[in-house]
Amino acid sequence: GAVVSQHPSWVICKSGTSVKIECRSLDFQATTMFWYRQFPKQSLMLMATSNEGSKATYEQGVEKDKFLINHASLTLSTLTVTSAHPEDSSFYICSARDLTGALPREQYFGPGTRLTVT
Amino acid sequence: RKEVEQDPGPFNVPEGATVAFNCTYSNSASQSFFWYRQDCRKEPKLLMSVYSSGNEDGRFTAQLNRASQYISLLIRDSKLSDSATYLCVVNSGAGSYQLTFGKGTKLSVIP
């Protein structure tokens, strides 16, 4: 199946710093990527929909100025957590749709990035 | 009411057992339904899509009841490797590619 990578896979940072997470579709083009966050023992919660060449669409309650999303190409979306705080510690997962695939409804998930803010 | 609700679990079953998971969804406009599997500290992986007529993939059978807004997953002849959290997932509305996840049901298959 299609492959989505994320980098870094884990990161520990100090409170107040910014962290950038990359999401890449390796063997297909993705005009739309999704960013999720998962707290321990909770479900994945959609944070925002990232659209190539346009502004991201954020879900209610997600601060767009804190979680900056850039989708500059058809294979790369980045999420920057600005001025991170301990409550931002979570598992961040991206997904992408393969528009040309046989199953366009299917989303392929990246391996996730575990962020710990101290 | 939560958008996607699942059995809370955990389910602890012996190898070879048959186990069923249930899920209800609140958005009647949802058109796409899936079961994902998530291993501890890993990303979700698609197990199977769920079709209106029901579908089977080896030991796994999925059923959909649109009238009741109910989805099920049956696992026959459980293997140790089936131990994971199973996530019920629906799209967020007609024509939407956004997905809404249930909290998941944890399955532990015991030797």
Side-chain angles (χ1 to χ4, degrees):
Chain A
V3 178
V4 175
S5 71
Q6 271 185 251
H7 177 80
S9 55
W10 60 270
V11 58
I12 302 173
C13 70
K14 291 187 176 181
S15 189
T17 60
S18 294
V19 174
K20 180 187 281 189
I21 303 170
E22 292 186 351
C23 177
R24 292 180 186 273
S25 55
L26 298 183
D27 52 0
F28 66 98
Q29 294 183 330
T31 56
T32 304
M33 291 183 173
F34 302 92
W35 286 97
Y36 297 84
R37 180 167 54 181
Q38 186 178 32
F39 293 106
K41 299 187 178 181
Q42 299 295 316
S43 61
L44 272 75
M45 295 299 294
L46 180 65
M47 298 176 66
T49 302
S50 173
N51 304 298
E52 187 267 337
S54 65
K55 291 183 178 180
T57 304
Y58 290 82
E59 295 301 299
Q60 193 172 13
V62 178
E63 299 175 57
K64 63 180 181 180
D65 294 329
K66 181 170 180 63
F67 299 98
L68 302 179
I69 291 173
N70 184 283
H71 194 155
S73 77
L74 287 172
T75 59
L76 173 64
S77 175
T78 61
L79 168 68
T80 301
V81 183
T82 61
S83 186
H85 292 286
E87 58 265 30
D88 297 323
S89 299
S90 188
F91 191 43
Y92 291 86
I93 308 174
C94 71
S95 72
R97 287 177 51 229
D98 180 0
L99 295 176
T100 61
L103 295 172
R105 300 182 304 164
E106 187 171 340
Q107 289 186 24
Y108 298 95
F109 286 83
T113 297
R114 195 161 298 279
L115 170 64
T116 302
V117 184
T118 60
Chain B
R1 181 183 174 185
K2 294 179 182 174
E3 293 192 58
V4 179
E5 290 199 66
Q6 296 185 240
D7 285 345
F11 284 58
N12 301 311
V13 303
E15 271 187 289
T18 296
V19 61
F21 302 140
N22 303 317
C23 167
T24 57
Y25 60 95
S26 62
N27 188 345
S28 60
S30 295
Q31 296 177 327
S32 302
F33 310 91
F34 311 91
W35 283 101
Y36 276 76
R37 169 196 170 126
Q38 186 174 26
D39 293 288
C40 187
R41 302 174 78 85
K42 299 284 188 181
E43 78 278 19
K45 292 186 186 293
L46 180 66
L47 180 65
M48 59 195 304
S49 299
V50 186
Y51 302 114
S52 296
S53 55
N55 48 301
E56 184 175 310
D57 183 3
R59 298 181 292 110
F60 300 86
T61 301
Q63 296 280 348
L64 168 65
N65 184 320
R66 285 185 184 270
S68 302
Q69 295 180 198
Y70 171 93
I71 307 164
S72 66
L73 175 68
L74 183 76
I75 305 176
R76 292 182 297 278
D77 189 21
S78 299
K79 312 289 185 191
L80 295 177
S81 57
D82 294 334
S83 298
T85 296
Y86 290 82
L87 307 173
C88 178
V89 184
V90 306
N91 78 318
S92 301
S96 172
Y97 290 102
Q98 292 183 347
L99 299 179
T100 301
F101 286 77
K103 288 180 70 172
T105 302
K106 186 173 181 180
L107 171 66
S108 294
V109 181
I110 305 164

